[in-house]
Amino acid sequence: MASLAPLGATGSFSLDADYTGAQLAAWPRTEEGAANLTAGTVSADVAGNLVLRTSGVDGNFAGVESPRQWQHGYFEARVWLADDGRRQVPNWPAFWLLGNDWPSGGELDVLEIGDGVDGSSYWYNPVEGDQPDKSHGSQTTVPGPASSGDYSATFVPPAMKSPCVPGWHTAGILWAPGTATIYKDGRRYCTFSGLRSDVPMNVILNNTQGENGKHYGSPVPSDFKVEYFRHWALAG
């Protein structure tokens, strides 16, 4: 496998997964994170990027989920965010990790665009059905939201301006026992500590459309493209 380094995090890593966009398009479809069950389209473009397309219908959803799980390591995706014509990112594209039996399995949101704003989150609750309430978690909105749905977790606020502008970006997360640091375009965005969920997670890439999908302005069709996804195991 090619010798590639994560963008942002430093340390000792061993690359163990490298998926092109075309390979991502063959991942199983998912309904995790769907606003409803109206299906968007999943394909690969001529450049070999994964394309998650929403149609302009409220709640339209397109998403894929990794066929395997990982526990810890560095997760990275190179993504393209659409332009709604006003230099704003429309709809609800996301790159995240999800454990089994949410919320007890935990959730780590690496990149999540809602209402034109990029955010990152950590969610956990030991009791199924007892949904974490974001209003009771920690939250900051400068320069973008980073929040925790686990009342015992803490985070260091964002250290950079959000890269939530249309175009290509790289988003990554360094997940180790008890901690997760998120990087945007090679710079630290925020760090969560005191994580209580520590089980293997699937990777999800999805795009949701319309009012039930956190659109920015009027619902419009949009593509969320992914050039690659890579995972490095922690070495040493």
Side-chain angles (χ1 to χ4, degrees):
M1 188 171 289
S3 178
L4 300 169
L7 182 63
T10 59
S12 182
F13 303 96
S14 175
L15 181 67
D16 74 356
D18 184 4
Y19 292 88
T20 67
Q23 291 170 326
L24 295 172
W27 276 10
R29 306 297 185 264
T30 183
E31 295 175 355
E32 296 286 359
N36 59 37
L37 301 184
T38 304
T41 61
V42 177
S43 64
D45 63 17
V46 294
N49 301 307
L50 167 69
V51 181
L52 301 172
R53 177 167 296 167
T54 57
S55 67
V57 175
D58 183 27
N60 194 238
F61 175 87
V64 296
E65 182 172 349
S66 62
R68 60 167 289 190
Q69 295 181 319
W70 289 272
Q71 185 178 31
H72 307 144
Y74 194 89
F75 303 73
E76 181 179 281
R78 177 78 169 160
V79 305
W80 182 85
L81 303 174
D83 186 338
D84 71 347
R86 297 169 296 174
R87 294 296 295 164
Q88 296 284 349
V89 179
N91 305 316
W92 193 4
F95 162 36
W96 49 303
L97 314 181
L98 184 68
N100 292 336
D101 302 318
W102 190 93
S104 62
E107 173 185 340
L108 287 162
D109 301 320
V110 187
L111 178 144
E112 182 179 15
I113 311 297
D115 296 321
V117 177
D118 180 27
S120 298
S121 303
Y122 160 64
W123 296 97
Y124 168 83
N125 198 301
V127 180
E128 283 295 322
D130 182 11
Q131 307 297 329
D133 182 351
K134 194 168 185 176
S135 66
H136 291 95
S138 301
Q139 187 171 3
T140 180
T141 56
V142 182
S147 64
S148 172
D150 177 355
Y151 310 149
S152 69
T154 60
F155 71 90
V156 178
M160 62 170 288
K161 292 188 71 174
S162 168
C164 189
V165 295
W168 285 103
H169 299 283
T170 301
I173 180 170
L174 177 57
W175 174 31
T179 186
T181 297
I182 292 169
Y183 294 86
K184 306 290 177 75
D185 292 333
R187 299 172 60 193
R188 187 186 68 81
Y189 184 73
C190 65
T191 299
F192 296 98
S193 59
L195 276 63
R196 292 187 290 170
S197 55
D198 197 41
V199 299
M201 293 189 180
N202 292 89
V203 172
I204 299 174
L205 298 157
N206 69 264
N207 192 18
T208 298
Q209 166 76 44
E211 185 175 354
N212 292 331
K214 296 187 176 181
H215 70 83
Y216 181 88
S218 300
V220 295
S222 72
D223 290 344
F224 177 42
K225 299 182 183 181
V226 184
E227 179 183 345
Y228 66 77
F229 163 75
R230 295 171 184 152
H231 174 265
W232 289 260
L234 302 176

